[in-house]
Every structure is written in C-alpha cells, then in structure tokens.
Amino acid sequence: MLGPVCEQITDKEILDISLKIEREGQYFYEKLAELVPIPEIKDFLSHMAQEETRHERQFINLIAEKKGKDYGWDDNEELREAVEKLFQTDIFPDIDEWEREENPFPSVNEAIEFAIEAEMISMEFYRLLGEFCNNLEAKTVLAMLEKAEMEHLHYMKALHAKYSTP
C-alpha cells in the first residue's frame, strides 16, 4: 500500500507518497543493476537510481518550501478517488520481499518489462498530481518529473527491443 487511506487527502500525504515512490525506485534500480549482466543495461539502471535520488530531492525541496503554500491537493475528493483507484499498490517491489528473494527477475526481459511498467505508472502519477496542482512552482516540478519519466520509458522500451529474446 502506498500509505494510509483516510477520508480527505492532504498535500503532505501526496508528498509522502511521492517520496516513497522515489526511494523505492532508487533501491529497485540499484539492486536490478547488480543483477543484470549486460553493461549497457547495467549502466542505464545505475543512472536510473541516480535519477530517482534527484527526484526525491525535488520532493524534499517541495516539502521544505511548502510553508503554508496550497498545492491544491488538500481535501480534493476527486484526487483522493484517483489515488485510491489507480495508485493503491506499490509501484516497485516491496524492499523486504526483494531482500528475501534470490533473483526476483529470472530474465533481463522480465526486469526491463517491470521497469517499463513502473515508469509508466510513475509518469501517470506525476501527470495526475500536476493536473490537480494549483501552485505554479510545484506544477512545474511535476511537469519536469513527468517528462523525465517519459524519457526513461522511451529509453527502457528501446533497451527492451534491443535485448529482448523471442
């Protein structure tokens, strides 16, 4: 679960969910890079881990700079319903489960396919947040994150096409 579900969503809850996504993404890509034997994919996954760290810092800055700013998410019933409906599961594998499994992805194809799905979900999450955001600074950060996730997605798809086995 992404976080506790309550009647009304808050800006803090949305920012906390975003931090969780980025932290789990960083861990996922670091661990996946350790498992993948193909240097080009390994390098890209390491780059992705760094990207997730950068995204996390952007959210930490949004939280630090909030200081009474309204991002437009507080008490937004439509956003609450969308988060509950579309993002109520973890995007990345549970860290504890990952640690217990010897190799959660038996093939490079499966690993890349999972990463593609994770990037698509992350991109959609940031698009949704931007749609409901009424703070220009936060909306700009969200648009940049959505664009970055889209670029990651395209590169992942290219790697999948290049290295997929029939």
Side-chain angles (χ1 to χ4, degrees):
M1 300 290 268
L2 287 176
V5 178
C6 61
E7 284 297 314
Q8 298 180 338
I9 200 159
T10 65
D11 288 354
K12 182 180 180 334
E13 182 181 4
I14 291 294
L15 293 170
D16 287 347
I17 291 169
S18 301
L19 282 175
K20 183 178 186 300
I21 289 170
E22 297 304 335
R23 286 179 183 145
E24 288 177 353
Q26 175 192 1
Y27 186 82
F28 169 75
Y29 289 121
E30 284 173 353
K31 290 298 180 183
L32 198 54
E34 293 172 9
L35 297 173
V36 173
I38 302 168
E40 181 181 15
I41 297 175
K42 184 183 281 296
D43 290 347
F44 182 69
L45 293 172
S46 295
H47 169 75
M48 290 296 293
Q50 293 169 359
E51 284 285 293
E52 300 296 321
T53 301
R54 191 172 61 79
H55 295 171
E56 179 184 1
R57 280 194 302 271
Q58 289 174 304
F59 278 107
I60 289 170
N61 289 340
L62 280 179
I63 291 169
E65 295 169 4
K66 186 171 185 321
K67 298 180 184 143
K69 293 178 187 174
D70 177 22
Y71 290 152
W73 302 319
D74 276 335
D75 303 328
N76 187 314
E77 290 180 27
E78 191 176 353
L79 180 57
R80 161 59 73 198
E81 289 175 21
V83 168
E84 286 180 5
K85 181 179 177 186
L86 301 172
F87 304 102
Q88 203 49 44
T89 59
D90 289 328
I91 294 174
F92 296 99
D94 180 82
I95 291 171
D96 293 332
E97 287 180 30
W98 181 282
E99 289 292 330
R100 287 189 294 269
E101 293 185 42
E102 189 173 316
N103 187 358
F105 300 102
S107 74
V108 171
N109 282 347
E110 286 180 35
I112 293 174
E113 287 167 4
F114 190 93
I116 286 170
E117 183 69 22
E119 292 301 313
M120 287 186 341
I121 293 169
S122 296
M123 184 179 70
E124 180 61 22
F125 182 69
Y126 298 132
R127 186 203 57 76
L128 179 71
L129 293 184
E131 182 180 309
F132 285 97
C133 186
N134 61 17
N135 176 282
L136 184 59
E137 180 183 347
K139 197 174 196 77
T140 301
V141 169
L142 292 165
M144 290 178 355
L145 288 169
E146 179 185 356
K147 184 177 186 282
E149 300 296 354
M150 185 180 300
E151 290 170 359
H152 301 159
L153 176 64
H154 290 306
Y155 195 81
M156 288 277 191
K157 286 182 175 181
L159 285 175
H160 187 262
K162 182 175 180 179
Y163 291 103
S164 65
T165 53

